[in-house]
Amino acid sequence: MGSSPAARTPGGSASAVDWPRVSSLVFGQAAVQAGSFALLIAMSWTAVELGGRGAVTFVTLAATVPRALLLLFGGALTDVLGPRAVLLRATSVRVAVLVAGALVTVTTETLWPLVVIALVDGVLLGLTGPASGVLLPRLAPQDQLGRANSLFSMALRLAPIAGSPLGAWLVVVGGLPAAMTAAAVGCVLWLGCAAHVTHGMPRPERSPQGPSLVRRSGDGFRLLAAHPRLRWMFVACFAMDLAFLWPAEIALPLRASEEGWGIGAVALVLAAFSAGALASAALGAALAHRIPARVKLVVTGAGLAAGMGAMALVPSPGLLAATGAAVGLLSGLNGPALVTAYQQAVPEGRMGAAMSTFALSGIGAAPLSLAVFTPVSLHLGVTGTWLLCAGLAMLSPIAAAVALRGRPAGEDPAGEPPEAPALDASDSPATDQPTTGDRTRTAPEPTATTV
């Protein structure tokens, strides 16, 4: 298998981040994510106008169910065809679908075009999610992957902030066709960036006797079963996602209502959290490679759990916003570090399958969190359930600590040195080596899966 075009300096070493391609990836993802959020707002609003709560539920299911189901197949497809083939073809089809949808919705005001477009769009997003997720490990060496992921997380956090009001404005000025056109423009920008980012990336070698794509779709779960470090990092990521969603989506507005603080308090807390997360993500983009893994994963994770518990108990909206900002600061370091450590634990050549399972966990955490904690809150109340979520969040740093003690994927049980790199550059010195396949081979990281 040929070497990937990752992270080369003018002298040919692989010790530096390929910042031009990383920047292109971040810009393209920011554009397509903002367009997708705008489309989501516009489609939800249009569905409500056409058929009420039942219609918006139908459209939402049409978009999310096929996306979740196709993620696993998309990961297998990425490992077989390579990210370039999957991204360029599927994104080109998505542009065509959105342009056709814009033309159709100009001439008709019925629900069926929304359902069809949501269904096809969900399938395409499921296919491309893992392909987008494998790119950063090819563009940054292991000791710099945390910085690249921090920069990437900034774009993902900014996308809904920009995309949601954009979608609302487009509904007012041009309706759903305008939102679909904007989403198509975002896809075109991402298509150009994806072509630049993946240029020269080799297509994986085909094995005529290899397993079928259907069988390979389960590789992500088999990887978790076979590699303890990868499994514990998955647990750390999933536990944090599961614990965070119910307090943010349900408990925060409920508490603001019960205390008589009003909707302004909710907006203030979310803005404070976002500002803190953006600030620490920017710090991580500059310094993540200098911060020890245990600080980023264990210390900040424990701080996040404690901060969540404090948010459930503070007596005023001002203190709640201040605590939210502190939690955001920790989250901006912890989130990218969890992704980085998970990527670094993946055995060589299996990144597509691993990232598809990772993406599925993120998508699945939202409905599971709401389904589990909403009925619990009927018995424990908002504050009690919020504290329960904080306790669950503590599982994340515990699992990360176990992962740090575990054997890297690919290490021989008898004690042979692992082929995969160690979890973080802070644990041992980096050495420059060539890059091959999916992994950047520097000895001593979707979204979210991404669109």
Side-chain angles (χ1 to χ4, degrees), residues 203-300:
R203 183 169 179 149
E205 295 177 356
R206 288 192 175 184
S207 173
Q209 303 299 323
S212 67
L213 279 175
V214 174
R215 175 170 173 76
R216 293 192 66 156
S217 296
D219 279 357
F221 295 108
R222 284 188 281 270
L223 282 172
L224 295 181
H227 300 292
R229 175 173 285 188
L230 188 65
R231 182 167 63 249
W232 282 111
M233 284 312 310
F234 179 90
V235 170
C237 297
F238 182 73
M240 191 60 76
D241 283 341
L242 187 67
F244 244 88
L245 284 163
W246 191 86
E249 298 288 336
I250 304 296
L252 180 59
L254 282 178
R255 184 160 188 231
S257 176
E258 290 176 355
E259 300 285 351
W261 294 339
I263 190 64
V266 177
L268 178 64
V269 173
L270 293 178
F273 174 86
S274 297
L278 283 172
S280 60
L283 177 66
L287 299 174
H289 60 304
R290 299 184 183 277
I291 303 174
R294 284 170 177 79
V295 173
K296 292 184 291 186
L297 295 171
V298 181
V299 176
T300 62

Side-chain angles (χ1 to χ4, degrees), residues 343-379:
Q343 290 172 337
Q344 290 175 333
V346 177
E348 183 167 351
R350 313 301 292 278
M351 187 64 75
M355 292 306 292
S356 67
T357 311
F358 184 78
L360 185 62
S361 77
I363 292 175
L368 183 59
S369 180
L370 300 181
V372 169
F373 294 116
T374 298
V376 170
S377 67
L378 299 177
H379 302 281

Side-chain angles (χ1 to χ4, degrees), residues 159-187:
I161 295 173
S164 298
L166 174 64
W169 178 76
L170 288 171
V171 168
V172 173
V173 300
L176 185 58
M180 287 193 176
T181 302
V185 171
C187 282

Side-chain angles (χ1 to χ4, degrees), residues 84-275:
R84 181 177 176 85
V86 175
L87 284 174
L88 298 189
R89 294 173 187 176
T91 305
S92 298
V93 174
R94 191 175 182 226
V95 171
V97 168
L98 292 172
V99 170
L103 295 175
V104 170
T105 52
V106 166
T107 60
T108 182
E109 292 188 0
T110 58
L111 187 63
W112 70 264
L114 273 71
V115 175
V116 172
I117 293 164
L119 184 68
V120 177
D121 203 40
V123 168
L124 294 171
L125 289 175
L127 290 176
T128 58
S132 301
V134 307
L135 295 177
L136 273 181
R138 294 183 175 214
L139 302 175
Q142 294 297 303
D143 61 330
Q144 301 287 328
L145 186 55
R147 296 178 65 198
N149 270 319
S150 292
L151 180 63
F152 190 72
S153 75
M154 291 177 63
L156 297 186
R157 291 181 186 278
L158 285 170
I161 295 173
S164 298
L166 174 64
W169 178 76
L170 288 171
V171 168
V172 173
V173 300
L176 185 58
M180 287 193 176
T181 302
V185 171
C187 282
V188 170
L189 292 174
W190 165 231
L191 187 62
C193 291
H196 170 240
V197 170
T198 61
H199 178 69
M201 286 188 178
R203 183 169 179 149
E205 295 177 356
R206 288 192 175 184
S207 173
Q209 303 299 323
S212 67
L213 279 175
V214 174
R215 175 170 173 76
R216 293 192 66 156
S217 296
D219 279 357
F221 295 108
R222 284 188 281 270
L223 282 172
L224 295 181
H227 300 292
R229 175 173 285 188
L230 188 65
R231 182 167 63 249
W232 282 111
M233 284 312 310
F234 179 90
V235 170
C237 297
F238 182 73
M240 191 60 76
D241 283 341
L242 187 67
F244 244 88
L245 284 163
W246 191 86
E249 298 288 336
I250 304 296
L252 180 59
L254 282 178
R255 184 160 188 231
S257 176
E258 290 176 355
E259 300 285 351
W261 294 339
I263 190 64
V266 177
L268 178 64
V269 173
L270 293 178
F273 174 86
S274 297

Side-chain angles (χ1 to χ4, degrees), residues 16-35:
V17 180
D18 189 343
W19 286 117
R21 292 187 194 236
V22 170
S23 300
S24 186
L25 172 63
V26 169
F27 174 78
Q29 278 291 295
V32 74
Q33 292 270 12

